[in-house]
Amino acid sequence: MAGASRPRRRAPVVVERAGDNGIFVGGSNNVFERTVTRLKRGTGLQISRMASDTPRDR
């Protein structure tokens, strides 16, 4: 998921049987609610900087 969006009420998100990361998130100010990750080979939710050359203060 990339980009910014305003907060919205959404239906629950279910991510399952993903081969690697169920959800990969980069950036800041990310909020995940009503989210289920299951039956995956890797992490359910991976949080990281956008790129390896992104300054540490971002």
Side-chain angles (χ1 to χ4, degrees):
M1 302 180 99
S5 64
R6 57 194 151 182
R8 296 179 217 163
R9 287 270 188 218
R10 295 190 181 238
V13 174
V14 178
V15 178
E16 59 184 26
R17 293 185 170 82
D20 192 14
N21 301 314
I23 302 171
F24 177 86
V25 180
S28 58
N29 301 320
N30 298 298
V31 176
F32 282 82
E33 296 176 339
R34 300 178 61 167
T35 303
V36 176
T37 61
R38 60 184 176 211
L39 306 171
K40 299 149 314 307
R41 291 186 178 174
T43 62
L45 173 62
Q46 181 177 347
I47 302 172
S48 180
R49 293 183 295 170
M50 288 300 284
S52 61
D53 60 350
T54 303
R56 287 190 171 269
D57 62 344
R58 300 208 176 194

